[in-house]
Structure formats: structure tokens, C-alpha cells
């Protein structure tokens, strides 16, 4: 059962474990959405189909915070927040060649899906391509890697992974876009989620500490960073 961070009549925030689908696909594998529907059905003894609106997705290998709406009204309002960039999804990543990564920056590319299910950088305005933009700040460096705090401005498929790879700083243990290692989870985690409650209209901040061996050298830095975020300090 996934970890539940927050729950009320309109909103549910959970931690997606790495390598679990957010939503079902052609594989037929179990997914976070269905697991949480079963949880709600059992906990509240709801007859029939349980409503749970998926507001945003996360790549299968990646873990971290995902928000769900428990009513259609909440789903509509939260989706509007996402489109207006009022819902902020922030990640912590450990990247390769950390010594040469500038302290902060913005990555902007055009991304195109390929026939193999992946994504690649292409020319601006290419047919079928989508513009992708993210902002990052280095929190710490440790030898050949760096810990980066990443803010998404757009939410494209595989965006963070592809843009960092294209910049020369692949995410550690990324099997598709970097140098994966079996038994190690990709070092990309949805660590901070900011949104406005769909009915109370109150700003909310949720945090989740990343899991995986690549984060171990940065444990103290991560703890301090997440404590700041809970207090409302933004970078």
C-alpha cells in the first residue's frame, strides 16, 4: 500500500514508489491509481465504483508525490491550477558530471516522442514536437555527482530526464537516458508539491524524502532543504 501523505473529502496526496505506474497502460500492470481506489473503497466501505481523479502523472521509474482529486469539482479546480502553473511540482535529482554543472540555470528544448516509446530533443517547431522548460539549482556536490533541485515549468513525458541528458548531465541510474544499474532506482524524486486546496482555498506544501542509494551522500542537505520547504522557504 502506498504511503498516504494527506487525505480529506476532496484531496488525496500519496507517495508513488519507483517502478509503479501512475495510471494503467497496455501492460496491464497494477498502478497507483487503482491501488488508491481499492484503499478508498475499503476504508470508507464505498459500494460500486470509487471516483478518484488523476491530476498529474509521473514516469514509471520515478518515485515521489502525486495528487489525486476525490471529487469531480476538486479535479476540475486542480487541473486548472496545473494548467496555470499554480501547482508546482519540484524534484530532487542526482546528476552525473556534477562538477561542471552551473550553479543554476534554465533548460529549454523541444521534445519529440519516438516510435520506441522514448523522447528526444529536436529542432524548435518540428512537427509534433512540444516545448519543454525547467529551472534548476544545485544544492550540493559530491565528487562526480551533484544534487539538483528542479522546478518544472512544463510537464512533458520524460522531460527532466531527457533535458538533463541533453545538457550532458544524465540522472544517475537512469536506464533509458543514462547509465542504469540493475537493482538501483533512478535518482529522480518528486520531493515537493505545492498547490491550493480545491475547496478550502488554502496554500499547501507537501514534502517527501527521496529514497535510493544515490541520495545517501546528500542526506543532511536533503533534510535541511525539505525542512525549509515545509516552512514556506522557496528557492
Amino acid at each position: 500500500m502506498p504511503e498516504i501523505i494527506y487525505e480529506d473529502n476532496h484531496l488525496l496526496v500519496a507517495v508513488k514508489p519507483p517502478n509503479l505506474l501512475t495510471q494503467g497502460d497496455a501492460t496491464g500492470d497494477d498502478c497507483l491509481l487503482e491501488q488508491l481506489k481499492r484503499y478508498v473503497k475499503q476504508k470508507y466501505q464505498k459500494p460500486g465504483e470509487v471516483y478518484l481523479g488523476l491530476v498529474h502523472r509521473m514516469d514509471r521509474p520515478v518515485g515521489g508525490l502525486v495528487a489525486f482529486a476525490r471529487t469531480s469539482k476538486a479535479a476540475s479546480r486542480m487541473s486548472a491550477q496545473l494548467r496555470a502553473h499554480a501547482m508546482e511540482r519540484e524534484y530532487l535529482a542526482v546528476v552525473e558530471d556534477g562538477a561542471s554543472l552551473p550553479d543554476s540555470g534554465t533548460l529549454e528544448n523541444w521534445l519529440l516522442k519516438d516510435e520506441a516509446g522514448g523522447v528526444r530533443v529536436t529542432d524548435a517547431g518540428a512537427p509534433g514536437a512540444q516545448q519543454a522548460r525547467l529551472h534548476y539549482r544545485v544544492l550540493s556536490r559530491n565528487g562526480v555527482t551533484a544534487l539538483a533541485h528542479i522546478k518544472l515549468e512544463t510537464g512533458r513525458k520524460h522531460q527532466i530526464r531527457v533535458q538533463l541528458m541533453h545538457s550532458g548531465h544524465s540522472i544517475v541510474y537512469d536506464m533509458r537516458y543514462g547509465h542504469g544499474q540493475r537493482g538501483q532506482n533512478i535518482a529522480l524524486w518528486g520531493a515537493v508539491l505545492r498547490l491550493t486546496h480545491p475547496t478550502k482555498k488554502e496554500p499547501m506544501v507537501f514534502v517527501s524524502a527521496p529514497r535510493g542509494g544515490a541520495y545517501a551522500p546528500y542526506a543532511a542537505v536533503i533534510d535541511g532543504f525539505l525542512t525549509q520547504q515545509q516552512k514556506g522557504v522557496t528557492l
Side-chain angles (χ1 to χ4, degrees):
M1 182 61 217
E3 178 185 358
I4 307 296
I5 296 294
Y6 179 87
E7 178 184 1
D8 64 20
N9 291 334
H10 300 275
L11 173 65
L12 192 154
V13 178
V15 176
K16 186 183 88 66
N19 303 312
L20 177 69
L21 290 167
T22 310
Q23 186 178 32
D25 65 6
T27 65
D29 293 344
D30 198 12
C31 65
L32 181 63
L33 178 61
E34 293 303 320
Q35 288 186 2
L36 292 174
K37 281 185 176 181
R38 294 194 295 268
Y39 159 77
V40 171
K41 185 178 181 67
Q42 180 178 3
K43 180 175 180 178
Y44 298 101
Q45 299 181 341
K46 286 185 171 291
E49 183 69 17
V50 170
Y51 178 85
L52 199 60
L54 178 62
V55 181
H56 61 99
R57 293 172 176 81
M58 183 175 287
D59 291 353
R60 182 171 187 161
V62 182
L65 296 165
V66 182
F68 295 85
R70 292 199 54 204
T71 64
S72 57
K73 177 189 291 186
S76 176
R77 292 177 178 177
M78 292 167 67
S79 294
Q81 285 184 49
L82 192 64
R83 291 192 299 271
H85 307 298
M87 180 184 296
E88 299 181 40
R89 294 169 292 158
E90 304 176 20
Y91 291 76
L92 290 176
V94 180
V95 302
E96 299 177 355
D97 196 15
S100 66
L101 181 67
D103 289 344
S104 62
T106 295
L107 301 181
E108 186 170 351
N109 304 99
W110 286 78
L111 305 184
L112 185 66
K113 297 178 183 178
D114 61 33
E115 296 179 354
V119 176
R120 61 181 174 85
V121 172
T122 188
D123 295 332
Q130 294 180 307
Q131 191 174 20
R133 186 183 297 107
L134 63 78
H135 311 280
Y136 76 87
R137 180 183 179 90
V138 174
L139 300 180
S140 183
R141 304 178 197 271
N142 182 56
V144 297
T145 67
L147 175 69
H149 168 219
I150 298 165
K151 290 186 176 182
L152 283 175
E153 189 169 325
T154 57
R156 311 305 185 193
K157 178 180 179 181
H158 298 180
Q159 176 182 339
I160 298 174
R161 301 161 65 190
V162 174
Q163 288 194 274
L164 285 171
M165 178 270 292
H166 185 71
S167 75
H169 302 278
S170 295
I171 297 174
V172 172
Y173 300 138
D174 189 339
M175 295 291 289
R176 184 185 286 268
Y177 300 106
H179 305 93
Q181 182 175 322
R182 295 201 176 277
Q184 295 285 355
N185 292 322
I186 183 174
L188 179 62
W189 192 271
V192 184
L193 177 64
R194 305 177 196 276
L195 54 83
T196 299
H197 192 280
T199 59
K200 299 177 183 178
K201 309 298 184 183
E202 298 172 349
M204 308 185 80
V205 180
F206 304 101
V207 301
S208 172
R211 300 155 199 177
Y215 290 102
Y218 302 105
V221 174
I222 291 170
D223 183 63
F225 169 78
L226 294 180
T227 299
Q228 284 186 313
Q229 305 315 297
Q230 285 183 310
K231 292 179 178 178
V233 178
T234 59
L235 296 179

